[in-house]
Amino acid sequence: MSPSRIPCWFVPLILSVTILASTAAYGGHHHLSVSYYDKSCPSAQSIVQAVMASRVAADQAIAPAVLRLFFHDCFVNGCDASVLLDDATPFVESEKDAKPNDSLRGFDVIDEIKSHLEHSCPATVSCADILALASRDAVALLGGPTWNVQLGRKDSRGADRDAAENDLPSPHENVTSLITKFAEYGLDARDMAALSGAHTVGTARCLHYKDRVYGNDGEGGADMDPSFAELRRRTCQAGDDAAVPFDEQTPMRFDNAYYKDLVARRGLLTSDQALYGCGGPLDHLVEMYSKDGKAFVKDFARAMVKMGSIPPPPGMPVEVRLKCSMVNY
């Protein structure tokens, strides 16, 4: 059986098994608070918002890039800004060098925000909190929801390239694997379905969707609209780096079009379409989000707060970095 295919009857079983794991895996950062910087750096949020607004106005693609940075950070040993560390840091194998991270961008935006914050509030605001705030603002700047960000994260003094290679959800994963990986970080199937909606903005390279559009017979699978498969095969003729938007209709608007595409069997990645087609709770969620944009953005905001509370492993050395790409000495 192909790793991207599982029998649909198996999904409810996986959901029932992993729901316990998702409620027990992580208790979150007990010290996080919306008002964490109210006294120590009251201008923190306005500084982040100003830089993000300026950068997104110049290049809208910065918004999904920063949002992706936050996802890739939190899914490797928690939300600790480890994804920002360079190889130049002694004894650190940078997560930037892991294959799933080879197309990450937006690091310069985080560095710019950090520079402004160090000028206003030296050694106070962590890079992990900058990522959390910038991600919220990225979504809002594309017309999506906003939410209160819990603050007080600390930055790790190390990175984990191996975990970045193995722990991040792959674009080729089936629904069983996706549910299991999200549950490992305390995120349930509803969180997974809502967070996947981040793919309503941004792009993907042919390298990551060609398995879906070609399939085993070169024509795409039964769960893919044939005309969409043909369209994307033509894109792939330009090579593995050929990028297309997840959502053709509103590629830079944070809306519920992603779910409409899934219902129409026009999900770009295998891991996108895996959310729809087996019946049961996940199908119901996708259908609900496709019809009710307000329900989607409400669940997305709630799931972002939940994901943003994933802590580093117990005992990991942490600090507030003075420069996001390197540890303090």
Side-chain angles (χ1 to χ4, degrees), residues 76 97-101 160-168 181:
V76 178
D97 297 328
K99 287 183 180 178
N101 291 340
D160 192 338
R161 185 187 300 172
D162 288 342
E165 292 280 7
N166 300 309
D167 293 355
L168 287 164
K181 283 194 172 183

Side-chain angles (χ1 to χ4, degrees), residues 66 120 143 146 163 173 267 302-303:
V66 168
S120 297
T146 188
E173 306 237 28
R302 178 190 56 79

Side-chain angles (χ1 to χ4, degrees), residues 21-187:
S22 69
T23 57
Y26 279 88
H29 294 270
H30 295 295
H31 61 284
L32 296 186
S33 167
V34 172
S35 59
Y36 189 84
Y37 296 114
D38 282 3
K39 293 182 178 179
S40 60
C41 191
S43 61
Q45 297 205 37
S46 62
I47 289 173
V48 176
Q49 288 170 348
V51 174
M52 284 299 297
S54 174
R55 295 298 296 267
V56 172
D59 178 8
Q60 279 192 311
I62 286 295
V66 168
L67 180 58
R68 186 172 177 232
L69 270 181
F70 189 48
F71 275 89
H72 282 232
D73 184 47
C74 291
F75 268 84
V76 178
N77 293 328
C79 309
D80 61 355
S82 59
V83 73
L84 304 178
L85 287 172
D86 285 339
D87 261 337
T89 302
F91 312 111
V92 169
E93 290 190 336
S94 176
E95 293 169 18
K96 295 179 183 180
D97 297 328
K99 287 183 180 178
N101 291 340
D102 63 5
S103 62
L104 288 180
R105 57 185 294 243
F107 298 103
D108 59 320
V109 180
I110 304 303
D111 288 341
E112 182 179 344
I113 294 170
K114 181 62 171 174
S115 177
H116 284 284
L117 286 168
E118 284 301 306
H119 178 77
S120 297
C121 315
T124 301
V125 181
S126 69
C127 300
D129 277 345
I130 292 172
L131 265 178
L133 288 168
S135 298
R136 186 268 312 271
D137 296 340
V139 171
L141 286 164
L142 295 183
T146 188
W147 56 89
N148 290 324
V149 177
Q150 299 284 325
L151 300 166
R153 298 166 190 79
K154 294 295 185 285
D155 304 323
S156 68
R157 285 186 55 83
D160 192 338
R161 185 187 300 172
D162 288 342
E165 292 280 7
N166 300 309
D167 293 355
L168 287 164
S170 160
H172 314 292
E173 306 237 28
N174 62 44
V175 68
T176 308
S177 181
L178 289 170
I179 291 169
T180 301
K181 283 194 172 183
F182 275 75
E184 287 172 354
Y185 284 101
L187 301 167

